[in-house]
Amino acid sequence: MTTEKEPLTPELMLAFYRRLYPFKSVFNWLNHEHTPTKLFTQREFAFTLQGDVYLRYQSFLSVEELKKQVCTMNPTRFEIGPMYSARPRDRKTVRPGSFTPLLRELVFDIDMTDYDSIRTCCSDAAICNRCWAFISIAVRVLDQGIRDQFGYKHLLWVYSGRRGIHLWISDKEAMALTDEQRKALVGWMTVIQGGKEMHKKVNVRVKSNPLPPSINMALDTLRERFVDLILIDQECFQSESGYEELLKLIPDNIAVSNLRTKWRNTERSSKQKWTDIKKEIRNAGGENTLRGSLIFAAMEDIILQYTYPRLDAEVSKHRNHLLKAPFCIHPKTGRVCVPVDPRTIEKFNPENVPTINQLLQELDLGSQDATQNSEHHSDWEKTSLKPYVELMDRHVLALMEEVRKSKRGAGSSQSSSEMKRLGASHSRLPCLLGEHARLSLHATIGESGKACEASSCG
Amino acid sequence: MYFSHHKKCREELRRRFVKAELALFKIRYETDDREERQEFMRVHKFGWAEADDKEMQLHGDKLAEASSWSTQAANAQEKYYKVKWTRVPDLVEKRRVFLKDGMAYVPAREQSSIVFQEFSSSLEKALERTAKELPRLDEDTRIVPILDNLSQGFLAGVSSEWTSASTTADGDEITADMVDELARKHFPMCMRNLHECLRRDRHLKHYGRLQYGLFLKVLGLSIDEAVAFWRRSFSNIQDDKFNKEYRYNIRHSYGLEGKRANYAAKSCQQILTSDQPGAQDSHGCPYRHFAPDNLQTALLSTYSSQGLTSSDLPEIMHTVKAGHYHVACTRVFEITHSAQEVKKGDGVGGGDSVTHPNQYAARSRELEKAILDARKADMDGDVPMS
Ligand SMILES: [Zn+2]
């Protein structure tokens, strides 16, 4: 994939935040309501500044305050963490032990690098439209599984800007999951396991029993895609090393030696080789014989091993894990981390995602509009960012509607007046800016926040 | 005993306490007769509903398929209980229930799992509450000795802990330069593998660094030597990237950053069961996480210089296949230390099996030291005459 030719200057970033970043949409999505609640005011933001200084435990009382701070600090990107039991920026003033993460979207991260051992078209940081198919399959399977088995409805898929995708789930129950429950859910969803040195990475059956129903459901989706992607497009079993990996997964010495002899002597496509394995089941007496049933089960496991979503489990297990906010700019590609509709994920092409340069050109940077102090609330409407923001807003609308309904059911809330009271007393904003310039390059998680608070501003 | 003095340690203690209490409860529950059990359930209202006929029909075979793992035979008329999945995370994690729209369908014969979950979570909540109400508990002089005592009680009988005090008999410090040689002579397969990967790739992924780093710490590598070791090992990485991304984590694992917890090195049990390696990872236990052919190749290339031959492999692979990974590792220890007169059945001393990588390395170093001392004594001529 081509990367941005022009460097991402601080000036470009600032113009993007000022004129294009949809703060309001992101605020609504995090807050679930129009007036700020603790879901927003006690939420951790972490900024990565120019020069890779990392500032954790930022928090804001309103969307205006967030925008103001983002424009002042002009981070290269920012991340979103959990809602804590107190405002993150005040964490040093609350009693030790009572600053804990409470609520947080359930998040997933899928990254192309986890498919490096399978894909044949690219390696390492590279990604092309062909290998994106691995990601689109993962989206399809996870989206379907989570909705069906866990009953969650508010799933937001966000392109990570280069070679992966994030999922944020905002259902009330999902937000409240403990780390233990998150770990359990990840365990349920995890099929690919075993380290680098393990050939067989799918071990989800009990003895030779059928697959559990949830995985069977995924397999129905994967079967077809396996043929298109693994056999036809990627030709994973064409090379000798490719088919040897495959043979290691077949638990039948007779079949393996038959196949090896055949494949060594004639050039056969991956698809033909897959058919050859099916023939071995017939030679063994069919699916109902012991040997035949084992090869059949192995074929199902192979489909899973090559196509089932590979999850970065650590991201999902802990409430306090930070994840890059939607609509940030990926520093290497210049592309916007846009929301993606899972229903049309197969049509999504990462190379068509707008870059910061493209968007600012669309806005016509040369125009007089770009003067320092003017506000541009909906400039994104004039650019190709528009469909993505609208996708986000539709998602948020459904989420807010449900929150409203459940609140009506639960009686009136006292939170909004409380929030107004809290909003009256913020004062420490300028402190952060003066300080961040002084932070050394070695500033690390936690330390950087401390450096700022220990300063003399007050 | 640092146990009661840090927040992290109190959490650890709490976890052990819950575990012990749960074990006790399980025994009591399982030895109660059926009627007593049902009475217990009735009184405590665990919040589950029986799945009705309509649901049974709708999900049909899937209910049975989802519980095909159970060793207890299902009967055709088996009842299923419906419970919010968040109440039975252990069953969900292992994929042992049928799950639909957030409800877990638990076969009647697995009811006890729900009960155990409820028991430990209510106990945990009560303990957390206590901890919050008594934030200064650990500074109370009257209570510290009691807690210390308690924490020792929990450590006793739990062989998973291997503290640095017991490893290096004379507190030998090791330096970054010594690691290559120590690895060659004394490390178990898991650490040899991580060491080789580190040398080959000039990098290790997060859990590999954690597993290997804590092992080296307990082996006697000081913080400064650890930073030097990792800095040199990651030779493809620029200084600023190293300082930014890795130095903190190294210092953190030495308790110098963040929560300042004194992290123990991972035991075999932890290596086998927690943080399962992903597709690109090198950590874990090779006896469990390597494919058989790769394990055999690795064992031969790693230990043939210490006397392991291909004729030893069938026996080792047999125990691996049976799932006795620590037995396989112990056997490798015996074979590779036969020059120090370790015989089959001796294990890592007194017939003990390997339970901790640091125990393996420490015993290996002890054996070497004993021989060196004996040789030295020989040369000095002060061997008592017989
Ligand atoms: Zn590609």
Side-chain angles (χ1 to χ4, degrees), chain B residues 55-78:
Chain B
E55 287 165 328
M56 294 290 287
Q57 231 163 25
L58 188 64
H59 304 313
D61 294 342
K62 287 183 194 157
L63 289 169
E65 274 168 32
S67 44
S68 65
W69 53 272
S70 178
T71 48
Q72 304 176 50
N75 61 55
Q77 299 305 310
E78 173 146 49

PDB file of all heavy atoms in Angstrom, chain B residues 55-78:
ATOM      1  N   GLU B  55     -37.684 -23.407  24.205  1.00  0.00           N
ATOM      2  CA  GLU B  55     -36.243 -23.183  24.021  1.00  0.00           C
ATOM      3  C   GLU B  55     -35.521 -24.491  23.730  1.00  0.00           C
ATOM      4  O   GLU B  55     -34.609 -24.547  22.914  1.00  0.00           O
ATOM      5  CB  GLU B  55     -35.655 -22.530  25.272  1.00  0.00           C
ATOM      6  CG  GLU B  55     -36.051 -21.076  25.415  1.00  0.00           C
ATOM      7  CD  GLU B  55     -35.784 -20.536  26.808  1.00  0.00           C
ATOM      8  OE1 GLU B  55     -35.884 -21.305  27.803  1.00  0.00           O
ATOM      9  OE2 GLU B  55     -35.473 -19.344  26.906  1.00  0.00           O
ATOM     10  N   MET B  56     -35.950 -25.532  24.432  1.00  0.00           N
ATOM     11  CA  MET B  56     -35.318 -26.831  24.227  1.00  0.00           C
ATOM     12  C   MET B  56     -35.491 -27.268  22.778  1.00  0.00           C
ATOM     13  O   MET B  56     -34.579 -27.815  22.159  1.00  0.00           O
ATOM     14  CB  MET B  56     -35.941 -27.885  25.149  1.00  0.00           C
ATOM     15  CG  MET B  56     -35.679 -27.651  26.620  1.00  0.00           C
ATOM     16  SD  MET B  56     -33.968 -27.914  27.091  1.00  0.00           S
ATOM     17  CE  MET B  56     -33.876 -29.699  27.003  1.00  0.00           C
ATOM     18  N   GLN B  57     -36.674 -26.997  22.247  1.00  0.00           N
ATOM     19  CA  GLN B  57     -36.948 -27.383  20.880  1.00  0.00           C
ATOM     20  C   GLN B  57     -36.155 -26.532  19.894  1.00  0.00           C
ATOM     21  O   GLN B  57     -35.568 -27.025  18.936  1.00  0.00           O
ATOM     22  CB  GLN B  57     -38.440 -27.206  20.602  1.00  0.00           C
ATOM     23  CG  GLN B  57     -39.063 -28.452  20.002  1.00  0.00           C
ATOM     24  CD  GLN B  57     -40.568 -28.403  20.126  1.00  0.00           C
ATOM     25  OE1 GLN B  57     -41.162 -27.321  20.215  1.00  0.00           O
ATOM     26  NE2 GLN B  57     -41.199 -29.559  20.139  1.00  0.00           N
ATOM     27  N   LEU B  58     -36.138 -25.235  20.184  1.00  0.00           N
ATOM     28  CA  LEU B  58     -35.474 -24.286  19.295  1.00  0.00           C
ATOM     29  C   LEU B  58     -33.988 -24.614  19.138  1.00  0.00           C
ATOM     30  O   LEU B  58     -33.446 -24.597  18.041  1.00  0.00           O
ATOM     31  CB  LEU B  58     -35.648 -22.877  19.878  1.00  0.00           C
ATOM     32  CG  LEU B  58     -35.186 -21.703  19.023  1.00  0.00           C
ATOM     33  CD1 LEU B  58     -36.020 -21.623  17.755  1.00  0.00           C
ATOM     34  CD2 LEU B  58     -35.318 -20.407  19.816  1.00  0.00           C
ATOM     35  N   HIS B  59     -33.327 -24.918  20.234  1.00  0.00           N
ATOM     36  CA  HIS B  59     -31.883 -25.124  20.159  1.00  0.00           C
ATOM     37  C   HIS B  59     -31.499 -26.575  19.989  1.00  0.00           C
ATOM     38  O   HIS B  59     -30.379 -26.882  19.596  1.00  0.00           O
ATOM     39  CB  HIS B  59     -31.211 -24.534  21.404  1.00  0.00           C
ATOM     40  CG  HIS B  59     -31.536 -23.093  21.603  1.00  0.00           C
ATOM     41  ND1 HIS B  59     -31.464 -22.179  20.577  1.00  0.00           N
ATOM     42  CD2 HIS B  59     -31.973 -22.406  22.683  1.00  0.00           C
ATOM     43  CE1 HIS B  59     -31.839 -20.987  21.027  1.00  0.00           C
ATOM     44  NE2 HIS B  59     -32.161 -21.096  22.294  1.00  0.00           N
ATOM     45  N   GLY B  60     -32.452 -27.449  20.288  1.00  0.00           N
ATOM     46  CA  GLY B  60     -32.302 -28.881  19.998  1.00  0.00           C
ATOM     47  C   GLY B  60     -30.935 -29.465  20.276  1.00  0.00           C
ATOM     48  O   GLY B  60     -30.414 -29.366  21.385  1.00  0.00           O
ATOM     49  N   ASP B  61     -30.354 -30.051  19.226  1.00  0.00           N
ATOM     50  CA  ASP B  61     -29.106 -30.796  19.360  1.00  0.00           C
ATOM     51  C   ASP B  61     -27.937 -29.927  19.825  1.00  0.00           C
ATOM     52  O   ASP B  61     -26.980 -30.426  20.404  1.00  0.00           O
ATOM     53  CB  ASP B  61     -28.712 -31.423  18.017  1.00  0.00           C
ATOM     54  CG  ASP B  61     -29.722 -32.478  17.596  1.00  0.00           C
ATOM     55  OD1 ASP B  61     -30.482 -32.929  18.483  1.00  0.00           O
ATOM     56  OD2 ASP B  61     -29.752 -32.820  16.404  1.00  0.00           O
ATOM     57  N   LYS B  62     -28.033 -28.645  19.520  1.00  0.00           N
ATOM     58  CA  LYS B  62     -26.898 -27.780  19.857  1.00  0.00           C
ATOM     59  C   LYS B  62     -26.610 -27.800  21.354  1.00  0.00           C
ATOM     60  O   LYS B  62     -25.467 -27.667  21.780  1.00  0.00           O
ATOM     61  CB  LYS B  62     -27.180 -26.350  19.421  1.00  0.00           C
ATOM     62  CG  LYS B  62     -27.103 -26.190  17.908  1.00  0.00           C
ATOM     63  CD  LYS B  62     -27.324 -24.757  17.536  1.00  0.00           C
ATOM     64  CE  LYS B  62     -27.583 -24.623  16.060  1.00  0.00           C
ATOM     65  NZ  LYS B  62     -28.320 -23.391  15.762  1.00  0.00           N
ATOM     66  N   LEU B  63     -27.679 -27.938  22.149  1.00  0.00           N
ATOM     67  CA  LEU B  63     -27.487 -27.980  23.596  1.00  0.00           C
ATOM     68  C   LEU B  63     -26.599 -29.155  23.975  1.00  0.00           C
ATOM     69  O   LEU B  63     -25.653 -29.023  24.745  1.00  0.00           O
ATOM     70  CB  LEU B  63     -28.835 -28.095  24.294  1.00  0.00           C
ATOM     71  CG  LEU B  63     -29.715 -26.849  24.238  1.00  0.00           C
ATOM     72  CD1 LEU B  63     -31.114 -27.170  24.725  1.00  0.00           C
ATOM     73  CD2 LEU B  63     -29.104 -25.745  25.082  1.00  0.00           C
ATOM     74  N   ALA B  64     -26.888 -30.301  23.396  1.00  0.00           N
ATOM     75  CA  ALA B  64     -26.099 -31.489  23.714  1.00  0.00           C
ATOM     76  C   ALA B  64     -24.695 -31.369  23.123  1.00  0.00           C
ATOM     77  O   ALA B  64     -23.705 -31.694  23.777  1.00  0.00           O
ATOM     78  CB  ALA B  64     -26.799 -32.721  23.171  1.00  0.00           C
ATOM     79  N   GLU B  65     -24.612 -30.868  21.889  1.00  0.00           N
ATOM     80  CA  GLU B  65     -23.295 -30.717  21.248  1.00  0.00           C
ATOM     81  C   GLU B  65     -22.386 -29.818  22.072  1.00  0.00           C
ATOM     82  O   GLU B  65     -21.192 -30.069  22.186  1.00  0.00           O
ATOM     83  CB  GLU B  65     -23.444 -30.108  19.851  1.00  0.00           C
ATOM     84  CG  GLU B  65     -23.722 -31.132  18.773  1.00  0.00           C
ATOM     85  CD  GLU B  65     -24.157 -30.472  17.480  1.00  0.00           C
ATOM     86  OE1 GLU B  65     -23.688 -29.341  17.200  1.00  0.00           O
ATOM     87  OE2 GLU B  65     -24.964 -31.074  16.756  1.00  0.00           O
ATOM     88  N   ALA B  66     -22.982 -28.765  22.623  1.00  0.00           N
ATOM     89  CA  ALA B  66     -22.170 -27.813  23.368  1.00  0.00           C
ATOM     90  C   ALA B  66     -21.655 -28.409  24.668  1.00  0.00           C
ATOM     91  O   ALA B  66     -20.695 -27.920  25.239  1.00  0.00           O
ATOM     92  CB  ALA B  66     -22.979 -26.553  23.662  1.00  0.00           C
ATOM     93  N   SER B  67     -22.300 -29.475  25.140  1.00  0.00           N
ATOM     94  CA  SER B  67     -21.799 -30.063  26.386  1.00  0.00           C
ATOM     95  C   SER B  67     -21.225 -31.451  26.155  1.00  0.00           C
ATOM     96  O   SER B  67     -21.160 -32.267  27.063  1.00  0.00           O
ATOM     97  CB  SER B  67     -22.904 -30.076  27.449  1.00  0.00           C
ATOM     98  OG  SER B  67     -24.113 -30.510  26.887  1.00  0.00           O
ATOM     99  N   SER B  68     -20.790 -31.707  24.931  1.00  0.00           N
ATOM    100  CA  SER B  68     -20.246 -33.030  24.621  1.00  0.00           C
ATOM    101  C   SER B  68     -18.922 -33.290  25.335  1.00  0.00           C
ATOM    102  O   SER B  68     -18.436 -34.396  25.378  1.00  0.00           O
ATOM    103  CB  SER B  68     -20.040 -33.179  23.118  1.00  0.00           C
ATOM    104  OG  SER B  68     -19.054 -32.268  22.692  1.00  0.00           O
ATOM    105  N   TRP B  69     -18.333 -32.239  25.908  1.00  0.00           N
ATOM    106  CA  TRP B  69     -17.071 -32.396  26.628  1.00  0.00           C
ATOM    107  C   TRP B  69     -17.231 -33.130  27.936  1.00  0.00           C
ATOM    108  O   TRP B  69     -16.299 -33.671  28.491  1.00  0.00           O
ATOM    109  CB  TRP B  69     -16.473 -31.015  26.904  1.00  0.00           C
ATOM    110  CG  TRP B  69     -17.475 -30.137  27.577  1.00  0.00           C
ATOM    111  CD1 TRP B  69     -18.388 -29.337  26.972  1.00  0.00           C
ATOM    112  CD2 TRP B  69     -17.728 -30.029  28.970  1.00  0.00           C
ATOM    113  NE1 TRP B  69     -19.186 -28.729  27.890  1.00  0.00           N
ATOM    114  CE2 TRP B  69     -18.804 -29.131  29.124  1.00  0.00           C
ATOM    115  CE3 TRP B  69     -17.145 -30.598  30.110  1.00  0.00           C
ATOM    116  CZ2 TRP B  69     -19.304 -28.792  30.383  1.00  0.00           C
ATOM    117  CZ3 TRP B  69     -17.653 -30.258  31.359  1.00  0.00           C
ATOM    118  CH2 TRP B  69     -18.729 -29.360  31.471  1.00  0.00           C
ATOM    119  N   SER B  70     -18.482 -33.098  28.461  1.00  0.00           N
ATOM    120  CA  SER B  70     -18.696 -33.633  29.808  1.00  0.00           C
ATOM    121  C   SER B  70     -18.432 -35.125  29.857  1.00  0.00           C
ATOM    122  O   SER B  70     -18.774 -35.860  28.949  1.00  0.00           O
ATOM    123  CB  SER B  70     -20.131 -33.356  30.252  1.00  0.00           C
ATOM    124  OG  SER B  70     -20.329 -33.922  31.522  1.00  0.00           O
ATOM    125  N   THR B  71     -17.805 -35.561  30.942  1.00  0.00           N
ATOM    126  CA  THR B  71     -17.526 -36.985  31.075  1.00  0.00           C
ATOM    127  C   THR B  71     -18.745 -37.724  31.599  1.00  0.00           C
ATOM    128  O   THR B  71     -18.865 -38.924  31.451  1.00  0.00           O
ATOM    129  CB  THR B  71     -16.357 -37.217  32.045  1.00  0.00           C
ATOM    130  OG1 THR B  71     -16.597 -36.441  33.210  1.00  0.00           O
ATOM    131  CG2 THR B  71     -15.045 -36.812  31.417  1.00  0.00           C
ATOM    132  N   GLN B  72     -19.656 -36.970  32.216  1.00  0.00           N
ATOM    133  CA  GLN B  72     -20.856 -37.622  32.711  1.00  0.00           C
ATOM    134  C   GLN B  72     -21.831 -37.795  31.549  1.00  0.00           C
ATOM    135  O   GLN B  72     -22.062 -36.876  30.788  1.00  0.00           O
ATOM    136  CB  GLN B  72     -21.512 -36.766  33.791  1.00  0.00           C
ATOM    137  CG  GLN B  72     -20.566 -36.455  34.925  1.00  0.00           C
ATOM    138  CD  GLN B  72     -21.206 -35.529  35.934  1.00  0.00           C
ATOM    139  OE1 GLN B  72     -22.310 -35.769  36.391  1.00  0.00           O
ATOM    140  NE2 GLN B  72     -20.516 -34.468  36.279  1.00  0.00           N
ATOM    141  N   ALA B  73     -22.367 -38.983  31.437  1.00  0.00           N
ATOM    142  CA  ALA B  73     -23.268 -39.251  30.332  1.00  0.00           C
ATOM    143  C   ALA B  73     -24.513 -38.381  30.445  1.00  0.00           C
ATOM    144  O   ALA B  73     -25.070 -38.198  31.528  1.00  0.00           O
ATOM    145  CB  ALA B  73     -23.657 -40.716  30.334  1.00  0.00           C
ATOM    146  N   ALA B  74     -24.922 -37.828  29.324  1.00  0.00           N
ATOM    147  CA  ALA B  74     -26.144 -37.034  29.323  1.00  0.00           C
ATOM    148  C   ALA B  74     -27.316 -37.986  29.143  1.00  0.00           C
ATOM    149  O   ALA B  74     -27.197 -38.979  28.450  1.00  0.00           O
ATOM    150  CB  ALA B  74     -26.112 -36.043  28.170  1.00  0.00           C
ATOM    151  N   ASN B  75     -28.427 -37.681  29.782  1.00  0.00           N
ATOM    152  CA  ASN B  75     -29.597 -38.483  29.443  1.00  0.00           C
ATOM    153  C   ASN B  75     -30.534 -37.649  28.585  1.00  0.00           C
ATOM    154  O   ASN B  75     -30.477 -36.428  28.572  1.00  0.00           O
ATOM    155  CB  ASN B  75     -30.277 -39.031  30.702  1.00  0.00           C
ATOM    156  CG  ASN B  75     -30.752 -37.921  31.600  1.00  0.00           C
ATOM    157  OD1 ASN B  75     -31.496 -37.061  31.171  1.00  0.00           O
ATOM    158  ND2 ASN B  75     -30.307 -37.944  32.851  1.00  0.00           N
ATOM    159  N   ALA B  76     -31.362 -38.348  27.842  1.00  0.00           N
ATOM    160  CA  ALA B  76     -32.178 -37.688  26.838  1.00  0.00           C
ATOM    161  C   ALA B  76     -33.093 -36.627  27.450  1.00  0.00           C
ATOM    162  O   ALA B  76     -33.405 -35.623  26.815  1.00  0.00           O
ATOM    163  CB  ALA B  76     -33.003 -38.728  26.087  1.00  0.00           C
ATOM    164  N   GLN B  77     -33.487 -36.874  28.686  1.00  0.00           N
ATOM    165  CA  GLN B  77     -34.447 -35.953  29.308  1.00  0.00           C
ATOM    166  C   GLN B  77     -33.749 -34.856  30.115  1.00  0.00           C
ATOM    167  O   GLN B  77     -34.383 -34.199  30.923  1.00  0.00           O
ATOM    168  CB  GLN B  77     -35.371 -36.747  30.237  1.00  0.00           C
ATOM    169  CG  GLN B  77     -36.192 -37.802  29.533  1.00  0.00           C
ATOM    170  CD  GLN B  77     -37.004 -37.225  28.395  1.00  0.00           C
ATOM    171  OE1 GLN B  77     -37.707 -36.232  28.573  1.00  0.00           O
ATOM    172  NE2 GLN B  77     -36.886 -37.795  27.207  1.00  0.00           N
ATOM    173  N   GLU B  78     -32.481 -34.708  29.876  1.00  0.00           N
ATOM    174  CA  GLU B  78     -31.733 -33.795  30.726  1.00  0.00           C
ATOM    175  C   GLU B  78     -32.303 -32.376  30.716  1.00  0.00           C
ATOM    176  O   GLU B  78     -32.671 -31.833  29.684  1.00  0.00           O
ATOM    177  CB  GLU B  78     -30.274 -33.739  30.264  1.00  0.00           C
ATOM    178  CG  GLU B  78     -29.487 -32.682  31.007  1.00  0.00           C
ATOM    179  CD  GLU B  78     -28.066 -33.089  31.210  1.00  0.00           C
ATOM    180  OE1 GLU B  78     -27.447 -33.506  30.226  1.00  0.00           O
ATOM    181  OE2 GLU B  78     -27.591 -32.992  32.348  1.00  0.00           O
TER     182      GLU B  78
END
